[in-house]
Amino acid sequence: KQWYQRRVAITAGKIPQNYTNARDYCSHLQWPLTNTGIGMATVQNSAENNDVKTLIRYAFGMKFDNNNPYKLGNWAYIGLTKRIDNDRKLTKQEKGEFNPEQWFYEDRGMARYDNFRARMPDQQQQGSKKKGYEYQVVVQVNKKGYWDDTFASKPLPFVCQYCGKMLILILIHLKYY
């Protein structure tokens, strides 16, 4: 209970978003009393990373599905994107090299901490020469607290931050009859 009061508030729902929609959703939320928006989560140390990991576990269950590691519910977006040298496939030698001068949070802060899985980030590509390529340049965090770069078009739950608190937002889809 003390941990909850000090660090975290959780809102859970069911509709994952691509990175752009998640970012926009977080930045347009208005909170009572402050009337200010919030942004996507920044993770600048191991304690904040643990908070994100715990939020994902609370929202989707404590166990990581090792048989299906990229299963929806194992991962959530944070607000970290690669903004420099992000439009090409990395060479074998470059894969797994994290350069904090190329990665920035949505609040424009530079990444001072990372917890990428082994051999990540790898900046894979998808698409074709004809339709264009998309590269893995946004960050997802899993239930174990490990990071991986992924495609911004991938629908995922996401973590928002407000006044130093983190929220998991997985939008609730309501139908009116």
Side-chain angles (χ1 to χ4, degrees), residues 43-44 80-84 96-105 108-114 116 121 147:
V43 179
Q44 296 291 10
L80 186 60
T81 61
K82 187 173 184 186
R83 306 226 180 133
I84 298 171
E97 294 295 321
F98 175 72
N99 180 350
E101 294 176 0
Q102 296 177 337
W103 293 83
F104 294 88
Y105 284 99
R108 294 181 173 60
M110 188 183 295
R112 295 187 304 265
Y113 168 86
D114 81 273
F116 278 102
W147 299 10

Side-chain angles (χ1 to χ4, degrees), residues 31-158:
W31 289 95
L33 304 175
T34 64
N35 294 323
T36 59
I38 61 177
M40 292 189 76
T42 62
V43 179
Q44 296 291 10
N45 56 54
S46 61
E48 290 176 357
N49 195 64
N50 192 52
D51 288 349
V52 170
K53 172 182 80 172
T54 302
L55 281 171
I56 297 167
R57 287 177 164 201
Y58 280 152
F60 297 103
M62 300 305 264
K63 189 172 179 185
F64 183 83
D65 187 350
N66 287 310
N67 294 324
N68 190 2
Y70 287 94
K71 175 183 172 183
L72 188 64
N74 276 344
W75 299 86
Y77 284 126
I78 59 172
L80 186 60
T81 61
K82 187 173 184 186
R83 306 226 180 133
I84 298 171
D85 195 24
N86 62 359
D87 59 353
R88 67 180 181 87
K89 189 173 181 179
L90 297 180
T91 66
K92 224 177 205 181
Q93 294 79 15
E94 294 172 307
K95 290 181 180 182
E97 294 295 321
F98 175 72
N99 180 350
E101 294 176 0
Q102 296 177 337
W103 293 83
F104 294 88
Y105 284 99
E106 290 301 324
D107 68 2
R108 294 181 173 60
M110 188 183 295
R112 295 187 304 265
Y113 168 86
D114 81 273
N115 199 32
F116 278 102
R117 291 177 32 226
R119 298 179 300 282
M120 298 296 158
D122 61 355
Q123 199 167 313
Q124 293 293 309
Q125 74 180 29
Q126 68 181 11
S128 66
K129 197 173 195 178
K130 185 176 182 180
K131 293 182 180 180
Y133 293 109
E134 178 185 18
Y135 298 92
Q136 293 179 327
V137 295
V138 299
V139 175
Q140 60 184 351
V141 178
N142 71 19
K143 289 181 179 180
K144 294 181 178 182
Y146 293 114
W147 299 10
D148 191 5
D149 55 339
T150 192
F151 300 105
S153 62
K154 182 179 180 181
L156 283 175
F158 49 96

Side-chain angles (χ1 to χ4, degrees), residues 5-33:
Q5 290 173 342
R6 184 173 51 91
R7 294 190 184 237
V8 180
I10 300 172
T11 302
K14 297 190 181 204
I15 301 177
Q17 300 290 308
N18 67 42
Y19 186 85
T20 302
N21 290 345
R23 181 197 63 214
D24 292 348
Y25 189 87
C26 286
S27 67
H28 288 100
L29 280 175
Q30 297 287 314
W31 289 95
L33 304 175

